[in-house]
Amino acid sequence: MKHDLKIWDSWNDDEWVTFRTSLKTFLKENVCEVTFTKKDGDQRIMTCTLDDKLLPVVEVVEDAEPKKPKKPRVLKNPNNTLSVYDINAKGWRSFVIKNITAVTYERG
């Protein structure tokens, strides 16, 4: 049975931050369909999670010649976005929290 998380257009900034924190915690134990509006205006439905059991394993390989480390991605305001693992695309993606229009999940 599918369930929806409630989202309100009238939330203030603090309520959106609280929602982001709650969604992040929820995604650590569940797979959700998050519907949001992309920056170009298109609507996207992403099946995503933060559940450690479903995240890819990062293999560490010893190499004679070390690679240059990637620069860490710095978010100007981390409360505005959330990075998640896209189950279908098999990669990390992010979205703007205030652009979320729906979150659905299925309970076992």
Side-chain angles (χ1 to χ4, degrees):
M1 173 181 271
K2 285 200 173 195
H3 299 275
D4 297 317
L5 295 179
K6 296 291 183 200
I7 299 170
W8 305 102
D9 291 335
S10 60
W11 282 347
N12 63 36
D13 288 343
D14 289 338
E15 290 168 317
W16 279 108
V17 170
T18 300
F19 172 72
R20 181 193 180 280
T21 302
S22 299
L23 180 59
K24 185 175 179 179
T25 300
F26 193 76
L27 283 164
K28 287 182 179 183
E29 298 179 3
N30 299 280
V31 174
C32 297
E33 283 186 355
V34 177
T35 304
F36 60 95
T37 305
K38 293 173 30 175
K39 289 183 180 180
D40 66 5
D42 290 344
Q43 186 179 47
R44 169 104 194 281
I45 300 173
M46 183 189 310
T47 304
C48 56
T49 190
L50 290 174
D51 186 339
D52 287 336
K53 296 180 295 263
L54 301 173
L55 299 181
V57 175
V58 178
E59 291 186 38
V60 178
V61 179
E62 287 190 35
D63 193 355
E65 192 173 316
K67 296 178 183 177
K68 290 184 181 179
K70 287 184 180 180
K71 289 184 180 179
R73 190 172 82 156
V74 178
L75 299 174
K76 292 179 183 172
N77 188 344
N79 289 331
N80 287 341
T81 60
L82 184 61
S83 294
V84 296
Y85 186 74
D86 185 328
I87 299 290
N88 298 326
K90 295 183 176 36
W92 289 93
R93 305 290 187 268
S94 63
F95 46 79
V96 175
I97 292 296
K98 289 182 180 180
N99 291 350
I100 296 173
T101 56
V103 177
T104 60
Y105 63 97
E106 223 168 296
R107 231 176 249 221

